[in-house]
Amino acid sequence: MNSIAEIFDNSKQLLDSIENFFDKYIGRPLLRKCGVIKMVDDIFVNSGMTYFDNPISRLLGDLKQSPVLEKVVSAKDLLIDKLLVCFAPASAYLMFKTDTFFRDYKQDTFYRFDKLPGANWERLQLETAKNVILDIESQTTDKHINALIFDDSLYARTGGKGTELCARVFDHNDHKTRLGYRMMTGGWTNGETFIPFAQSLLSTRDEKQMVGPNVRIDCRTLRGKRRAMAKTKGTLVVQHMVKQAHKAGIPFDYVLFDTWFSSPSQLAALKGIGTDVIAMIKKNSTKYIWRDPATGEEKKLNVKEIYSRNKKRRGRSRYLLSVDIIIPDSTGNAMKAKLVYVRNHSNRKDWVCFVCTDMTLDEEKILRAYTMRWKIETYFKMSKSYLKLRTECHSTSYDAITSHMVIVAIRYMILAIERFQNTDNRSLEELFYEVQRDIINEMMDCAIILILDIMLQSVKQHFKASDEQINGLLCTFIGNLPTPWRERFTMPTAA
């Protein structure tokens, strides 16, 4: 008798694309380089083991025929299951409890995968993103701008007193202090596709604001460096991520961020490593050197004073004012920059100001390039609302939370590259629901296969039916199904 699984059509394009994504952009060699290795699922004794007639052999056993055997799960299988569990209709806990999980291994193995001591999850995300970005660039023309976008978002934790490095963090959205981390994110975009290439969960250096345990770990180790980065100032983390992108070979023209990172020292530091910046700046008391076009005299003014002393453009121009300035830094050096004032669409009587350190770029291109910064906001929305960034991981380990954050970023890359390669108009939310629907159908198919297989085995055992009779019964059953269901089956062949 043919197995039901062999005559059931389970081909799913989006599910296959996840496997293809792993083979094309990650691969087993990269997992080994990043320390993401296979895990022991179970240890059992081989009862059929026989020893050579030697006391030492009887004690230790032959190396190739050890009495103690290990059941291991490959890193690829664990990582793919981690990626898929987001799209499942139930949590991993419920799937293990009801024996409906994707593969046959223990629940503890699934959760221990997040805490691999030697796993460099940050490198895995960077290398995967680099491979995706270079593949996208190879399929597009050169007539576009590539940019790196940096921003942070609240990673909230409820009851964070037991969570490592959990701190009181100010949320800029509702202007309240929450428990959790600042999820500093660096992403690449070409105006159409956004790829997150680096992330770090930032805590605080103030012991009074630290809520969770702060265990001291050797800073020379990977776990120690990860925790040291969590206590680093946000602007320094951005500089570190830009250097990582340079070193990895990620192509970009400009760095984009909002007012929280656009201090003169940050602009000077990024310019010092050969990176131009386009950013929005605050209306604060920070002084810039402005030259009066009438007298040629240099004055130190803030952005409000510069705006009030210059003539605005009239008509329906896209910007109100463009001024060349000099930005001084603490070391005494200075660099040229351009301020572009634009009318605030939320309040027509107000204005916002952008700064660009590339003097060759005109105002239209500056404004067009800065609009790409919104891509990172859609990533935060997608990862929190759909990819279960906040609700899936309940571990108190800082390493486990970091690995979960990276896995969520890879999930986003899968949807982004799927949308890019198919060149369709579907949003990432629509792609998410299509993958989720396919996984639900896959699980239903497995349940139907199991029920039919048991039923046919029972019929064969009870009525002593032959394989030809069972195949005939299957053909009659499939032929009586409604058309949508009949299309999911293929007729069995003769035994």
Side-chain angles (χ1 to χ4, degrees):
M1 181 184 70
N2 292 315
S3 171
I4 298 297
E6 295 176 358
I7 66 172
F8 205 91
D9 184 14
N10 289 324
S11 59
K12 303 292 185 294
Q13 182 179 359
L14 288 176
L15 290 180
D16 293 340
S17 66
I18 296 177
E19 185 88 15
N20 296 334
F21 181 92
F22 178 90
D23 294 335
K24 186 173 183 179
Y25 301 112
I26 302 178
R28 298 180 189 272
L30 178 57
L31 291 182
R32 287 193 293 269
K33 288 180 183 178
C34 299
V36 182
I37 57 176
K38 61 185 178 182
M39 297 192 65
V40 177
D41 180 50
D42 195 7
I43 298 177
F44 57 95
V45 177
N46 185 2
S47 59
M49 188 65 219
T50 57
Y51 295 99
F52 297 104
D53 191 13
N54 184 301
I56 298 179
S57 298
R58 286 197 299 269
L59 179 64
L60 300 178
D62 186 63
L63 294 178
K64 296 183 180 180
Q65 297 180 342
S66 174
V68 179
L69 302 180
E70 294 180 345
K71 177 186 175 183
V72 297
V73 186
S74 68
K76 175 183 176 180
D77 291 343
L78 286 165
L79 180 59
I80 289 180
D81 288 347
K82 283 285 183 181
L83 298 174
L84 284 176
V85 75
C86 161
F87 305 98
S91 65
Y93 171 78
L94 288 177
M95 292 173 69
F96 275 110
K97 191 174 182 179
T98 56
D99 293 330
T100 58
F101 196 71
F102 308 117
R103 303 181 206 272
D104 181 23
Y105 55 81
K106 294 182 178 179
Q107 180 179 353
D108 180 62
T109 305
F110 180 79
Y111 290 118
R112 282 190 294 114
F113 183 66
D114 289 330
K115 302 178 184 179
L116 283 173
N120 192 339
W121 296 104
E122 296 86 349
R123 183 182 179 184
L124 177 63
Q125 179 179 355
L126 179 63
E127 293 293 332
T128 303
K130 180 194 73 173
N131 295 336
V132 172
I133 291 168
L134 294 181
D135 183 46
I136 293 175
E137 280 295 280
S138 66
Q139 302 179 52
T140 54
T141 62
D142 297 333
K143 296 181 181 179
H144 64 271
I145 294 177
N146 294 328
L148 300 185
I149 310 172
F150 293 94
D151 202 358
D152 61 349
S153 181
L154 175 67
Y155 187 105
R157 297 285 295 186
T158 56
K161 291 186 178 180
T163 306
E164 281 187 272
L165 300 181
C166 187
R168 296 183 181 90
V169 179
F170 182 74
D171 186 7
H172 300 297
N173 293 328
D174 57 7
H175 303 285
K176 294 182 179 180
T177 301
R178 307 285 187 185
L179 291 182
Y181 309 93
R182 291 170 56 205
M183 188 176 72
M184 182 65 69
T185 302
W188 173 93
T189 184
N190 59 358
E192 294 293 333
T193 307
F194 178 83
I195 303 296
F197 71 90
Q199 290 175 288
S200 181
L201 292 172
L202 303 186
S203 181
T204 179
R205 291 171 292 179
D206 188 358
E207 295 294 336
K208 295 181 180 179
Q209 297 297 323
M210 187 77 70
V211 176
N214 182 14
V215 181
R216 297 189 180 276
I217 299 177
D218 190 350
C219 291
R220 295 171 296 181
T221 63
L222 180 62
R223 298 173 67 240
K225 293 177 181 179
R226 183 177 294 149
R227 284 157 175 76
M229 182 66 69
K231 302 175 186 178
T232 306
K233 193 175 179 182
T235 53
L236 298 179
V237 174
V238 170
Q239 296 172 26
H240 173 72
M241 290 181 176
V242 172
K243 293 177 182 178
Q244 280 187 317
H246 267 301
K247 186 177 180 180
I250 296 176
F252 65 94
D253 303 305
Y254 304 101
V255 171
L256 312 177
F257 42 72
D258 59 7
T259 57
W260 301 107
F261 309 100
S262 57
S263 62
S265 59
Q266 177 78 329
L267 299 177
L270 293 176
K271 188 67 175 180
I273 59 178
T275 301
D276 287 308
V277 175
I278 300 175
M280 185 185 293
I281 57 176
K282 294 181 180 179
K283 300 177 184 179
N284 54 17
S285 59
T286 303
K287 302 291 184 179
Y288 304 96
I289 300 176
W290 170 74
R291 178 171 294 178
D292 191 337
T295 62
E297 181 184 0
E298 291 185 347
K299 300 179 181 180
K300 288 188 174 181
L301 305 174
N302 59 39
V303 290
K304 293 182 180 179
E305 295 170 337
I306 294 175
Y307 180 79
S308 63
R309 298 195 183 196
N310 284 272
K311 184 178 180 181
K312 319 310 181 288
R313 291 168 61 92
R314 294 189 176 184
R316 304 182 66 179
S317 174
R318 291 195 63 186
Y319 63 97
L320 298 172
L321 176 63
S322 178
V323 183
D324 293 343
I325 61 168
I326 297 176
I327 301 178
D329 62 3
S330 58
T331 61
N333 299 323
M335 65 175 181
K336 294 182 179 181
K338 183 182 293 186
L339 295 182
V340 181
Y341 293 83
V342 181
R343 186 175 285 107
N344 189 348
H345 292 287
S346 301
N347 183 3
R348 302 293 292 178
K349 296 181 180 180
D350 194 15
W351 50 266
V352 292
C353 184
F354 301 95
V355 62
C356 177
T357 59
D358 184 2
M359 300 300 293
T360 63
L361 207 61
D362 60 53
E363 292 77 12
E364 297 284 340
K365 291 183 178 179
I366 292 173
L367 299 178
R368 193 180 307 116
Y370 189 79
T371 58
M372 300 188 330
R373 199 202 71 83
W374 187 252
K375 296 288 184 180
I376 198 169
E377 302 294 346
T378 60
Y379 168 70
F380 290 144
K381 175 67 176 177
M382 183 72 187
S383 60
K384 292 179 180 180
S385 300
Y386 295 92
L387 302 182
K388 300 183 180 179
L389 175 66
R390 297 180 297 182
T391 59
E392 187 177 282
C393 180
H394 301 284
S395 176
T396 59
S397 168
Y398 183 77
D399 299 313
I401 300 173
T402 299
S403 70
H404 171 66
M405 175 184 65
V406 172
I407 287 170
V408 169
I410 296 177
R411 290 170 181 167
Y412 186 90
M413 293 183 208
I414 293 173
L415 297 177
I417 197 66
E418 181 70 20
R419 184 171 184 265
F420 169 78
Q421 290 178 344
N422 290 327
T423 60
D424 54 29
N425 296 322
R426 290 177 296 178
S427 66
L428 292 179
E429 292 85 354
E430 291 171 329
L431 286 174
F432 170 84
Y433 283 120
E434 286 195 32
V435 176
Q436 188 178 61
R437 181 197 62 196
D438 288 346
I439 289 182
I440 293 174
N441 289 339
E442 188 84 10
M443 297 176 69
M444 289 178 59
D445 293 350
C446 292
I448 293 171
I449 290 170
L450 179 62
I451 293 173
L452 288 179
D453 224 350
I454 294 175
M455 183 195 71
L456 293 176
Q457 290 288 348
S458 301
V459 169
K460 184 177 181 180
Q461 182 180 1
H462 185 75
F463 294 101
K464 310 298 182 182
S466 63
D467 291 341
E468 291 79 4
Q469 291 174 321
I470 294 296
N471 285 345
L473 177 62
L474 269 178
C475 291
T476 304
F477 173 78
I478 294 173
N480 291 331
L481 287 174
T483 302
W485 281 86
R486 194 185 310 127
E487 292 175 352
R488 300 173 70 178
F489 286 87
T490 57
M491 289 295 184
T493 57

